């Protein structure tokens, strides 16, 4: 497997590790307050506890979130990233 192959996908395949970024529309700084960051962290914890995702690293910025993660299965009919 060539880990350094340059490809960009607009979808996440279950079982693969991805670097993923979620950006707030218009870069509005909605996640400045710690209480709102906790919502993001709790969502990741929930999906991890339900064995829907594995999280290797993440950072919550004021207007976006970076993740290195792997989705393990859907959350019902929804993808893990859709649930997140």
């Amino acid at each position: 497997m060539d880990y350094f192959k340059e490809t960009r996908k607009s979808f996440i395949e279950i079982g693969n590790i991805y670097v993923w970024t979620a950006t707030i529309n218009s870069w509005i700084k909605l996640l400045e307050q710690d209480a709102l960051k906790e919502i993001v962290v709790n969502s990741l914890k929930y999906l991890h506890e339900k064995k829907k995702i594995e999280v290797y690293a993440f950072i919550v910025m004021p207007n976006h979130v970076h993740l290195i993660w792997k989705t393990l299965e859907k959350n019902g009919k929804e993808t893990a990233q859709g649930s997140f």
Side-chain angles (χ1 to χ4, degrees), residues 8 12 14 16 23 27 31 35-36 42 52 58 64 70 72 81 83:
R8 182 178 172 127
I12 292 179
I14 293 174
N16 291 334
T23 306
W27 292 89
L31 299 173
L36 298 177
N42 289 338
K52 305 298 180 188
F58 71 94
H64 64 286
K70 174 171 42 174
L72 302 174
Q81 67 272 21
S83 295

Side-chain angles (χ1 to χ4, degrees), residues 69-83:
W69 68 342
K70 174 171 42 174
T71 59
L72 302 174
E73 63 180 40
K74 289 188 172 186
N75 189 25
K77 293 181 181 180
E78 195 171 53
T79 62
Q81 67 272 21
S83 295

Side-chain angles (χ1 to χ4, degrees), residues 3-47:
Y3 291 103
F4 300 104
K5 185 178 177 183
E6 293 185 35
T7 60
R8 182 178 172 127
K9 296 180 183 179
S10 60
F11 59 91
I12 292 179
E13 294 176 356
I14 293 174
N16 291 334
I17 298 171
Y18 291 90
V19 175
W20 189 74
T21 300
T23 306
I24 296 171
N25 190 29
S26 299
W27 292 89
I28 297 169
K29 295 181 179 180
L30 294 179
L31 299 173
E32 286 186 307
Q33 298 174 16
D34 288 343
L36 298 177
K37 290 179 185 116
E38 279 296 314
I39 294 171
V40 172
V41 172
N42 289 338
S43 179
L44 291 172
K45 283 180 183 178
Y46 173 82
L47 290 169

